[in-house]
Every structure is written in structure tokens, then in C-alpha cells.
Amino acid sequence: MLALGNPEEELGVELEVEEFVLGRGAGDQSYVLRTLAPRFVATVFSSDDEIRISDVIWWDTKPSAKEIDDLLARALASVEEIEKRQEKETKQKVNDALILAEERFDIERHNFRDIGERLEAQAEELAIIAEEQQLNIQKRIEAEKALRLSEERLQIQVSELIDSEERMAAQAQEMVWLAEDLQAAEQKMKFLANHDALTLLPSRRLCLKYLKDLLAEDRDTSEKTAVFFIDLDGFKAINDTLGHEAGDAILVGVADRIRALLTPEDMAARIGGDEFIILLKEVTSRDGVKELAETLIEQLNVPFVLDGDEARVGASVGIAFSLDDGTTAEQLLNCADQSMYSIKKKGKNNFGFFSDL
């Protein structure tokens, strides 16, 4: 069945029949004719010289020739009415479009005219500016020449100033380095004034000062200070056989081993040759001192390795206690020294207390 056209294009026509509907079909020149009484559906084809039924799609009762002619005449009138109406609508749309185009053209023409006037005014302004700039060109050239000359002179002055500052900075740095060297030398001199240059242990002078301070504290407490007087056994033989460099290495090693056994509040000192002093602060028992003395001798008996060779030394240690054996630094050192010599006579490499003599 041939479908009806777009509903917007359908046209109802009042006929003597109950209903007459004419709609555009598949082609521009074809229409669909449908009636209700008599019920009749057909395809109508119209051209310049005739209107004919091309297909009868369906009917209830076959119409007579007169009914068909009458329907075709009415269909032709409807088609002509549709075409006139479409032509009128098309002309109206074209006229509306032309009017709108003319209005837009007038608007654009006015806009172009305004733009042209503004461009002309801007061109006049630019011409005036160009004339003013042309008048100032020479002045600018002269100013730029003067500026370049000033910049060159300034650059020369800046370079000279930079060179001067660099020289001053170098001299200042040299003075800083010199001051640091002097300060380091001064600190080293102060250090060496109170320390042994070889082992870096405190000297006899600093040891006596610290011992005096400890004795002053002992008077106010029940705790005591223990003084160790240490003399190395066999050190002279190492100096004679291996040389003084080997002997110095032994002394440094001994100092390191002694230092490792002490707390920060205790002190070890080298008072000359192969003699060392240990000051133990706040001693509460003789057993603790005895244990440290045994450990000290044990550590010093461990061989020293010098250029692949082993060197052995021993230690004779005399011990004195503050308050019990003396009340002054000199007395305690003397008592510890006497105890050390007593150990030397008994066979060396041992320790003893001054109170046991």
C-alpha cells in the first residue's frame, strides 16, 4: 500500500462524500486519494495535461465511471489549490528573505561607513603622531649617544671598582686565614703547655692541678681519690733495639690503652719518659681500684705490633689513696712512687698499695 504523505501536507476537502483526504505521495506529482463513503483508496497522478488514477489500492464497492470522474475533478481542484498555496507560501518566504537581506545589508553598510570614518580619524591621529616623532628623532639619537657614552664610562668605573673589591676581598680572606692560623697556633701552644706533645695526655703540671682540685673536694665528702704511678717494664730495651721511633709508637699505644680504661672524670697523664699517672675520682672501695689495676696490667701486657714485629712491655704500678696516705698532691705522688719502686724490686709487672708497704 502506498503510504500517505507528511501530516502537515495533508488537505481535507469538504465533498458530498463523508470524507475526502488528499495527501502527497512518494513523488512530487503523485497524491493519495481516500474516501469513507464510498470507501475508496487510490493513487492519483497529475501532470500538465491530465489527471489519472494510476493505481486503485483498495475499494469497498467498485465506483462508477461518473463517481471516478467526479472524484478526479475534485482531486484536480485540490491539487491546484495545494500548488497555488505552496507557490504563494514560497513567494512569501522569498520576499521575507529579500527584506531581511536588505535590512542586514543596510546595517552592514552603516557599520562599514562607521568603521571607515573611525579608520580615517585614526589615520589622521597616526599622521600627527608620526610628525611629532619625526621631530624628536634627532633628539633621541643624541640622547642615545650620550647614554651609550655614559654606560661605557660607568662600565669602566664598575670594572675598576670590582677589581678593587676583589683585591680587598682577597686581602681580607688572607687576613682571616692568618688570624685562624694564629688562633690555631695559640690554641696549640696552650694545649702543649699542659699536654704531652707525643701522647697528647695531660702533662705533670696539669695533673698536679687537677689532683689539688680533687683533694679539695675530698675534704667535703667521704669519697677518696686514688693515684696510680706507672712505670713501664722493658721499655729501655725496645728503645735500644728497635729505635726511638718504635719507642715513641709504644708510648702512644700505652697512652691509648690507658685512656680507654678511664671515665671522662678520671685523668691519665704522662709525667716524663715512660712514666704515667692515673687519677681516679670518687673511689668508694679498694676492690674497684684493685680490679682496674689488674685490667691495666693485663692490657699493657698485650704485644704491640710494629712493622710486622711484636714488642712487649710490662708495667709496675704503685697506688696511693687521698686522706689515708697523704693530704697534698706532692705527698700522694711520692707515696705512689714509693709503692711503684717496691713492685720493681719484687719482680716488676705487678701493682701494690702504699698502705701495704
Side-chain angles (χ1 to χ4, degrees), residues 183-193:
Q183 185 178 7
E186 182 180 359
Q187 292 177 351
K188 184 176 181 180
M189 289 177 64
K190 289 181 179 179
F191 181 83
L192 293 178

Side-chain angles (χ1 to χ4, degrees), residues 249-270:
I250 293 293
L251 293 175
V252 172
V254 169
D256 291 339
R257 294 182 184 182
I258 293 175
R259 192 184 288 111
L261 298 176
L262 305 182
T263 67
E265 294 183 346
D266 300 327
M267 177 183 284
R270 181 189 177 203

Side-chain angles (χ1 to χ4, degrees), residues 194-196 199-204 206-207 267-271:
N194 295 300
H195 292 78
D196 175 49
T199 63
L200 304 182
L201 290 177
S203 63
R204 180 186 184 92
L206 187 58
C207 178
M267 177 183 284
R270 181 189 177 203
I271 61 174

Side-chain angles (χ1 to χ4, degrees), residues 226 228 261 280 282-296 319 321 351 353:
F228 285 49
L261 298 176
L280 297 183
E282 299 178 354
V283 173
T284 57
S285 68
R286 180 167 171 161
D287 292 338
V289 175
K290 178 180 179 181
E291 183 178 352
L292 177 62
E294 291 173 346
T295 302
L296 173 63
I319 304 172
F321 292 95
F351 69 93
F353 296 97

